[in-house]
């Protein structure tokens, strides 16, 4: 292996690798190097085994507390010898296992990006060994091999070009360049030359679109540019989403509170209340169960899954559940240009026939669109304009065709495909005109001449026409005449200046401009050779053609919506700066106060300066993969939640580094898709807007049911904690008001269905007019804490009063007043939760304004939970499991009235807190 081969001459590279340009390596030497350097393939990251992923689910603080509660319950069941004591143990362990299974199902950590990179390698390659050209598996390539390449070949290693002929290479997936780039093996480049400007190099994973070449392999496997991306992808750690951080923090806080309160209750009961230690322990276990929102993890998973399904219906596939909420808090979108903000299809936009300028409608390679004059009327296709369009079709090798899905694609050079499509819009179909005016010879394009010429018969009897296309300044220097409606006339200096002025105006719009000319030859001409370059002089000028990879119309609207939602869009591309800025201005990205930077300019910015620079930069051009990661990382250092969109290999590292990566599903490479958190199946930038809206709705709904569940848990803690401190002398017969299994039933079953219904709430009308959520703000912010405090206190009051009414009024004469009083407290708490679920549908709007029963899912959830409540109270044997007894009808009057207290408290709080 050698470092920076693009800085060396051909001879220096061959000497450094001890190889011969004509004979290649000897077979024996190639075998030795294969043993030294290894196979030319990209290894895969070893996936985490299923069993380890399952065990990792038990490391959560809340889960560990539940396991401890189950262990203590098992010890008590063994000591007391009561079979029914094992019910609590089995129920708690079942909950823990179910949550673990859901966690494994929720996130598969196996990374497929490396496998996708591996599949991109060419399966076979042509090399020179022992002086003969042979075909070998691409994974057998070694440094020093002489590779032979031609149009259509995938490049399977990094190669230093030795010789080439009219060579063009498609590097869009690696560098972001929207058109194939020309190569020059004779160039010797500076050490700081950017990836997209290394014209003497060929890179693994790219493809030859035109011409042929011979080169020496200088890098294989991980030592290629593609391999560097693969190794960096492996080293990038998965980022933690804000919701993950909040839930992790919540688990720790609840764990600490739970242990502290349980210890206090146990000590007070044993040493102050003089309760038996086993009863005190049972109270502590009940308190531990009350403190843990067992249903929270499952509800979060299910609601995120529902959101994923809804987003898939809108062409956005989310690969990771927790990425849904991250998308809703994104405030910067870093977007690749080619194929994301643009069509990734070169399109002719304007024509000039020496007299008039014409606009060409339509986008991409489809033969759809009109050619109009300056007045907007359909142009008459005859004379000079007809010949200009005809020359574009005939002097091109590309072919366009329609795929099964109706989209058009091209085979060959995209620039030529744009010319073929423009001709088709005027009725000149490639197949038809090629058959009518057969090509009899050609002079292929090369980087020295910057021209291409084709020869055609049958246009006029006894005459051969040659059509030449190329750079405008070069073509003009070779023209003596200009075609007019009256035929060829001398090309005057004034006319030449006019043509150059038009060319400049086209170029200032970031259009790629080609000039066309023709010449007549004797009909006896049969063929030409590369030595016949004198045919490319004394030409007759036909006109100019301006083309561009056009911006997506829907992207412009989407960017406007993003701006209204407080989201900044940034373009990051490997294309040229002028082209990038022109597209950015068209899309509305380049607004006042923002600048553009090239990769070279970015290299001069230090890591300390970059976080400030990125705040005022809207366009980055001619950037490398490392630049993209630097930009994304700098934005994150400035506390931005950053999204990166892209479709190429060059986007993969930034997709992984960003808070959320978004890949294109149609044009995107497998590498980009497998590195991303979300894939757009329609490649539509506007779909990101829908996904962001959905993400905001989902996060808002998660806040609603987190507040709903936690206020219940805090209320339960207050009930268990405060009542356990009340001495029996004050309230005779008092004991633990709720058992562990009752609390588990409430937390996991009764609360979960209304919580799921909250997760299906529709978004607020102004949700996309609000600024993104502060990255540092916890899901349980100050407003939610106050709301939880108000509702928890209301829950405690209603359950406490119900429990005392049972002990001292309804069942005071019973031999066992504690069990029916527990049932009253249990029923009051469940009904309070079901009524309160309606009030939780909005954090600031009254449920009566929303429509009390407008959420059908909530109605079904409440009705189902009511049926379950009746079942566990009145069905024999079932009620025994839950320590319940059948209640008399009269007991339901205070239960219903008391259950309305938390609902009323929530509505009154919203009325006072958000009255403005």
């Amino acid at each position: 292996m050698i470092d920076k081969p693009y800085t060396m001459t051909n001879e220096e590279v061959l000497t450094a690798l001890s190889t011969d340009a004509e004979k290649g390596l000897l077979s024996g030497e190639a075998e030795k190097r294969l043993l030294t350097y290894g196979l030319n393939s990209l290894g895969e990251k070893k996936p985490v085994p299923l069993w380890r992923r399952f065990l990792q689910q038990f490391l959560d603080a809340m889960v560990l507390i539940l396991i401890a509660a189950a262990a203590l319950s098992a010890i008590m069941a063994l000591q007391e010898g009561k079979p029914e004591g094992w019910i609590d143990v089995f129920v708690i362990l079942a909950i823990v296992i179910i949550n673990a299974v859901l966690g494994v199902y929720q996130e598969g950590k196996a990374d497929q990006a490396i496998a996708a990179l591996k599949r991109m390698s060419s399966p076979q390659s042509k090399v020179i060994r022992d002086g003969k050209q042979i075909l070998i598996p691409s994974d057998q390539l070694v440094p020093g091999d002489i590779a032979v390449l031609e149009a259509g070949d995938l490049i399977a290693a990094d190669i230093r070009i030795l010789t080439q002929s009219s060579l063009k290479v498609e590097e869009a997936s690696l560098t972001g360049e929207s058109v194939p780039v020309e190569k020059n093996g004779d160039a010797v480049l500076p050490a700081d030359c950017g990836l997209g400007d290394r014209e003497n190099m060929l890179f693994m994973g790219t493809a030859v679109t035109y011409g042929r070449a011979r080169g020496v392999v200088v890098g294989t496997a991980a030592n290629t540019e593609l391999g560097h991306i693969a190794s960096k992808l492996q080293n990038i750690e998965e980022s933690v989403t804000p919701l993950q951080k909040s839930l992790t923090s919540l688990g720790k806080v609840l764990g600490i509170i739970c242990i502290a309160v349980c210890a206090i209750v146990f000590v007070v009961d044993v040493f102050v209340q003089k309760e038996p230690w086993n009863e005190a322990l049972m109270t502590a276990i009940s308190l531990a169960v009350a403190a843990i929102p067992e249903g929270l993890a499952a509800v979060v998973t299910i609601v995120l899954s529902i959101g994923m399904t809804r987003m898939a219906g809108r062409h956005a596939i989310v690969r990771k559940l927790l990425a849904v909420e991250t998308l809703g808090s994104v405030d910067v979108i870093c977007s690749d240009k080619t194929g994301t903000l643009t069509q990734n299809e070169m399109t002719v936009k304007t024509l000039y026939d020496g007299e008039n300028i014409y606009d060409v409608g339509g986008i991409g390679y489809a033969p759809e669109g009109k050619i109009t004059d300056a007045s907007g009327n359909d142009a008459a296709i005859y004379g000079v304009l007809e010949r200009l369009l005809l020359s574009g079709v005939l002097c091109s090798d590309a072919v366009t065709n329609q795929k099964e899905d109706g989209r058009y694609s091209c085979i060959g050079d995209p620039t030529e495909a744009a010319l073929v499509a423009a001709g088709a819009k005027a009725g000149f179909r490639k197949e038809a005109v090629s058959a009518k005016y057969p090509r009899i010879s050609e002079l292929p394009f090369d980087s020295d001449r910057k021209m291409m010429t084709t020869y055609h018969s049958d246009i006029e009897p006894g005459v051969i026409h040659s059509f030449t296309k190329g750079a405008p300044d070069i073509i003009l220097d070779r023209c003596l005449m200009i075609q007019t409606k009256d035929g060829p006339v001398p090309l005057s200096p004034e006319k030449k200046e006019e043509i150059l002025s038009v060319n400049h105006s086209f170029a200032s719009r970031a259009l790629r401009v080609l000039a066309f000319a023709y010449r007549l030859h004797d009909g006896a001409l049969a063929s030409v050779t590369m030595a016949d370059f004198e045919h490319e002089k004394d030409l007759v000028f036909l006109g100019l053609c301006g083309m561009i990879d056009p911006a997506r119309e829907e992207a412009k609207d989407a960017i406007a919506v993003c701006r209204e939602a407080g989201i900044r869009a940034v373009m990051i591309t490997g294309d040229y700066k002028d082209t990038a800025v022109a597209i950015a201005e068209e899309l509305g990205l380049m607004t006042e106060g923002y600048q553009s930077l090239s990769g070279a300019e970015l290299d001069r910015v230090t890591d300390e300066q970059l976080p400030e620079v990125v705040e005022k930069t809207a366009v980055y051009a001619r950037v490398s993969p490392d630049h993209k990661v630097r930009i994304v990382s700098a934005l994150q250092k400035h506390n931005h939640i950053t999204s990166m969109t892209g479709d190429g290999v060059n986007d993969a590292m930034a997709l992984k580094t960003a808070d959320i990566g978004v890949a294109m599903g149609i044009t995107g490479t497998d590498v980009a898709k497998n590195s991303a958190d979300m894939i757009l199946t329609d490649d539509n930038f506007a779909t990101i807007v829908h996904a962001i809206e959905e993400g905001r709705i989902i996060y808002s709904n998660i806040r609603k049911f987190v507040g709903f569940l936690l206020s219940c848990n805090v209320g339960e803690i207050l009930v268990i904690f405060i009542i356990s401190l009340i001495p029996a002398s004050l309230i005779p017969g008092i004991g633990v008001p709720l058992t562990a299994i009752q609390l588990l039933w409430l937390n996991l079953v009764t609360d979960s269905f209304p919580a799921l219904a909250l997760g299906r709430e529709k978004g607020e009308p102004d949700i996309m007019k609000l600024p993104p959520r502060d990255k540092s703000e916890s899901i349980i912010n100050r407003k939610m804490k106050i709301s939880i405090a108000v509702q928890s206190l209301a829950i405690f009051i209603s359950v406490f009063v119900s429990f005392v009414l049972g002990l001292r009024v309804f069942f005071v004469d019973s031999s066992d007043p504690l069990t029916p009083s527990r049932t009253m407290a249990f029923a009051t708490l469940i009904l309070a939760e079901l009524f309160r679920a309606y009030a939780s549908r909005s954090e600031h709007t009254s449920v009566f304004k929303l429509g009390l029963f407008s959420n059908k899912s909530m109605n079904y959830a409440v009705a189902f939970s009511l049926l379950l409540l009746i079942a566990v109270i009145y069905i024999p044997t079932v009620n025994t499991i839950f320590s319940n007894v059948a209640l008399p009808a009269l007991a339901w009057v205070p239960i219903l009235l008391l259950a309305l207290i938390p609902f009323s408290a929530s509505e009154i709080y919203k009325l006072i807190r958000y009255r403005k």
Side-chain angles (χ1 to χ4, degrees):
M1 302 286 183
I2 53 175
D3 186 40
K4 298 181 179 178
Y6 54 89
T7 64
M8 305 164 68
T9 64
N10 292 345
E11 293 74 18
E12 289 171 339
V13 173
L14 291 169
T15 301
L17 291 169
S18 302
T19 189
D20 187 277
E22 298 299 324
K23 297 180 180 179
L25 294 173
L26 297 174
S27 297
E29 176 62 21
E31 291 175 6
K32 290 179 184 178
R33 295 191 183 191
L34 188 61
L35 291 173
T36 302
Y37 297 110
L39 289 173
N40 178 36
S41 61
L42 299 174
E44 297 185 24
K45 189 177 180 179
K46 190 175 180 180
V48 179
L50 183 63
W51 63 269
R52 183 173 294 175
R53 289 161 52 198
F54 180 75
L55 291 179
Q56 286 172 344
Q57 307 301 317
F58 296 96
L59 300 179
D60 182 77
M62 293 189 287
V63 173
L64 291 174
I65 291 172
L66 284 177
I67 292 173
L72 290 172
S73 296
I75 292 170
M76 289 179 62
L78 283 171
Q79 288 189 344
E80 294 178 0
K82 295 179 181 179
E84 60 270 18
W86 288 98
I87 295 175
D88 287 359
V89 179
F90 292 137
V91 171
I92 294 172
L93 290 178
I95 289 165
V96 169
I97 291 170
I98 290 170
N99 276 338
V101 171
L102 283 171
V104 172
Y105 176 76
Q106 172 185 326
E107 286 293 354
K109 293 185 178 180
D111 193 345
Q112 299 176 4
I114 307 303
L117 284 165
K118 183 178 179 181
R119 289 195 299 270
M120 289 187 65
S121 303
S122 176
Q124 290 188 313
S125 298
K126 296 186 289 289
V127 297
I128 305 294
R129 285 187 182 172
D130 301 316
K132 299 176 183 178
Q133 181 174 311
I134 60 173
L135 196 64
I136 65 170
S138 294
D139 61 4
Q140 303 291 312
L141 284 173
V142 295
D145 263 328
I146 303 300
V148 179
L149 296 156
E150 58 188 21
D153 285 346
L154 290 175
I155 299 166
D158 282 4
I159 297 171
R160 174 64 162 85
I161 301 170
L162 300 176
T163 61
Q164 82 284 332
S165 175
S166 306
L167 183 65
K168 289 186 181 181
V169 179
E170 174 64 69
E171 294 183 344
S173 65
L174 187 65
T175 66
E177 183 71 62
S178 57
V179 295
V181 294
E182 299 171 28
K183 294 292 183 176
N184 177 18
D186 295 327
V188 177
L189 305 171
D192 61 352
C193 183
L195 187 67
D197 297 317
R198 296 175 193 171
E199 57 181 326
N200 58 9
M201 291 291 297
L202 301 174
F203 301 108
M204 185 185 204
T206 60
V208 178
T209 61
Y210 197 88
R212 59 189 65 86
R214 181 177 289 201
V216 58
V217 174
V218 294
T220 58
N223 292 307
T224 62
E225 291 296 331
L226 200 61
H228 295 158
I229 294 174
S231 61
K232 289 173 182 176
L233 284 175
Q234 284 184 323
N235 294 329
I236 294 173
E237 295 182 359
E238 296 288 338
S239 58
V240 180
T241 71
L243 181 58
Q244 281 177 309
K245 293 175 184 175
S246 293
L247 293 179
T248 301
S249 175
L250 172 63
K252 292 176 181 177
V253 170
L254 286 176
I256 294 169
I257 292 173
C258 176
I259 293 170
V261 175
C262 287
I264 292 170
V265 169
F266 182 78
V267 169
V268 170
D269 280 358
V270 173
F271 296 103
V272 178
Q273 304 282 25
K274 304 301 181 182
E275 295 280 350
W277 74 269
N278 57 338
E279 292 184 14
L281 187 59
M282 193 64 218
T283 302
I285 291 172
S286 297
L287 193 55
V289 172
I292 305 301
E294 289 85 2
L296 182 59
V299 173
V300 169
T301 299
I302 294 168
V303 169
L304 289 173
S305 298
I306 291 170
M308 288 175 67
T309 303
R310 223 159 35 197
M311 292 170 76
R314 301 182 78 175
H315 307 293
I317 297 174
V318 179
R319 297 180 64 240
K320 299 177 183 178
L321 283 174
L322 289 170
V324 175
E325 64 88 17
T326 310
L327 192 67
S329 57
V330 164
D331 62 348
V332 178
I333 299 175
C334 298
S335 176
D336 186 46
K337 177 184 73 70
T338 307
T340 307
L341 295 170
T342 65
Q343 300 288 337
N344 198 21
E345 296 180 355
M346 292 297 289
T347 305
V348 173
K349 301 300 292 180
T350 188
L351 298 167
Y352 171 67
D353 67 357
E355 291 293 335
N356 302 301
I357 295 176
Y358 302 90
D359 291 325
V360 183
I363 292 175
Y365 305 134
E368 301 163 358
K370 294 182 178 181
I371 300 174
T372 56
D373 58 23
S375 302
N377 300 317
D378 290 353
I381 310 299
Y382 73 95
V384 183
L385 180 59
E386 177 185 20
R387 182 159 291 196
L388 174 62
L389 288 163
L390 187 63
S391 67
V393 177
L394 292 174
C395 193
S396 295
D397 293 324
V399 176
T400 61
N401 49 48
Q402 190 173 19
K403 298 189 291 187
E404 292 182 2
D405 61 1
R407 292 166 56 89
Y408 280 79
S409 62
C410 82
I411 301 173
D413 189 295
T415 299
E416 293 189 345
L419 297 172
V420 171
K425 293 171 185 178
F428 300 123
R429 297 279 181 168
K430 174 73 173 176
E431 300 80 3
V433 296
S434 295
K436 186 175 182 181
Y437 311 122
R439 182 187 297 186
I440 60 172
S441 195
E442 66 181 291
L443 294 173
F445 180 91
D446 67 49
S447 56
D448 293 328
R449 293 166 30 249
K450 297 189 182 299
M451 290 184 293
M452 173 183 176
T453 299
T454 59
Y455 296 79
H456 300 267
S457 60
D458 299 344
I459 296 177
E460 294 179 29
V463 177
I464 298 297
H465 282 67
S466 67
F467 293 103
T468 302
K469 73 170 186 278
D473 53 340
I474 293 175
I475 294 291
L476 270 176
D477 286 342
R478 293 170 180 259
C479 289
L480 294 178
M481 311 283 282
I482 181 171
Q483 187 75 12
T484 69
K485 61 183 179 180
D486 300 319
V489 299
L491 179 63
S492 65
E494 294 78 15
K495 193 63 179 179
K496 188 173 182 179
E497 284 300 316
E498 179 186 325
I499 295 169
L500 289 172
S501 176
V502 172
N503 174 51
H504 177 74
S505 70
F506 284 1
S508 65
R509 292 159 52 191
L511 295 174
R512 185 181 186 192
V513 187
L514 290 177
F516 294 83
Y518 79 96
R519 180 177 171 178
L520 302 180
H521 306 270
D522 186 273
L525 180 70
S527 64
V528 293
T529 66
M530 295 299 286
D532 294 323
F533 289 141
E534 67 270 11
H535 290 175
E536 292 179 330
K537 62 182 182 181
D538 301 337
L539 303 175
V540 181
F541 182 80
L542 283 174
L544 302 174
C545 172
M547 64 187 74
I548 197 171
D549 180 12
R552 291 177 178 267
E553 284 297 322
E554 62 271 24
K556 186 175 183 178
D557 297 333
I559 288 168
V561 173
C562 286
R563 189 179 299 111
E564 191 175 20
I567 301 165
R568 182 161 66 98
V570 175
M571 180 191 292
I572 305 179
T573 178
D575 213 338
Y576 289 98
K577 190 173 179 178
D578 290 345
T579 304
V581 169
I583 294 293
E585 289 176 344
E586 182 181 349
L587 290 171
L589 279 176
M590 280 288 288
T591 53
E592 187 176 351
Y594 285 98
Q595 64 178 357
S596 60
L597 286 177
S598 67
E601 292 168 332
L602 197 58
D603 283 332
R604 293 192 288 271
V605 178
T606 66
D607 289 340
E608 290 72 25
Q609 297 169 329
L610 193 57
E612 294 299 327
V613 171
V614 296
E615 289 298 309
K616 55 186 178 181
T617 305
V619 174
Y620 301 88
R622 304 301 285 171
V623 297
S624 69
D626 286 338
H627 287 141
K628 294 187 176 189
V629 175
R630 278 192 73 202
I631 294 164
V632 171
S633 299
L635 285 165
Q636 290 172 328
K637 286 179 183 176
H638 233 276
N639 293 319
H640 291 292
I641 292 186
T642 308
S643 170
M644 170 71 187
T645 69
D647 59 359
V649 176
N650 62 319
D651 299 320
M653 283 189 300
L655 287 172
K656 292 274 283 187
T657 304
D659 293 288
I660 181 164
V662 183
M664 302 297 117
I666 297 174
T667 59
T669 61
D670 283 345
V671 181
K673 293 175 189 175
N674 288 313
S675 298
D677 301 292
M678 187 176 80
I679 301 169
L680 306 183
T681 59
D682 60 354
D683 281 17
N684 193 335
F685 188 87
T687 302
I688 298 173
V689 178
H690 302 319
I692 288 174
E693 181 181 12
E694 194 65 48
R696 290 188 176 191
I697 291 171
I698 289 170
Y699 190 83
S700 174
N701 289 345
I702 288 174
R703 276 182 55 86
K704 292 172 188 175
F705 68 68
V706 166
F708 170 73
L709 292 175
L710 290 185
S711 56
C712 179
N713 285 104
V714 176
E716 291 168 6
I717 291 172
L718 291 175
V719 169
I720 302 291
F721 180 62
I722 294 175
I723 292 177
S724 68
L725 299 179
I726 298 174
S729 59
L730 186 62
I731 303 178
I734 197 166
V736 181
L738 296 163
T739 66
I741 197 166
Q742 285 176 332
L743 292 167
L744 280 172
W745 177 264
L746 177 72
N747 291 350
L748 189 68
V749 180
T750 307
D751 274 359
S752 294
F753 294 113
L756 283 172
L758 288 174
R760 298 181 72 91
E761 277 289 325
K762 295 180 181 178
E764 308 288 341
D766 62 344
I767 200 159
M768 284 302 286
K769 291 182 173 22
L770 301 172
R773 187 180 71 258
D774 187 350
K775 182 179 181 179
S776 60
E777 183 182 74
S778 170
I779 189 170
I780 307 171
N781 58 12
R782 184 174 177 273
K783 292 179 182 178
M784 184 182 286
K785 288 175 183 176
I786 296 173
S787 177
I788 288 173
V790 169
Q791 294 185 55
S792 299
L793 186 60
I795 290 169
F796 166 73
I797 291 170
S798 61
V799 175
F800 176 73
V801 172
S802 179
F803 184 54
V804 173
L805 281 174
L807 287 172
R808 306 304 301 152
V809 178
F810 286 92
F811 309 108
V812 66
D813 297 326
S814 171
S815 60
D816 178 23
L818 185 58
T819 300
S821 298
R822 277 177 176 164
T823 305
M824 276 191 71
F826 177 66
T828 304
L829 183 54
I830 286 182
L831 283 179
E833 285 302 287
L834 297 182
F835 293 156
R836 199 170 58 84
Y838 284 100
S840 300
R841 288 179 53 201
S842 174
E843 292 186 72
H844 51 79
T845 304
S846 170
V847 68
F848 298 105
K849 187 175 290 186
L850 292 175
L852 186 60
F853 300 111
S854 58
N855 184 337
K856 291 183 179 180
S857 297
M858 181 65 74
N859 300 335
Y860 295 141
V862 169
F864 183 63
S865 294
L866 280 172
L867 289 175
L868 291 176
L869 172 63
I870 300 300
V872 297
I873 290 178
Y874 288 102
I875 296 177
T877 306
V878 175
N879 58 8
T880 304
I881 294 173
F882 289 93
S883 304
N884 288 326
V885 294
L887 293 173
L890 190 61
W892 286 98
V893 175
I895 289 173
L896 287 168
L897 292 174
L898 290 168
L900 286 170
I901 292 175
F903 172 85
S904 303
S906 178
E907 287 297 302
I908 293 169
Y909 169 74
K910 285 191 287 186
L911 182 65
I912 296 171
R913 176 69 176 79
Y914 300 104
R915 62 187 181 278
K916 294 182 180 180

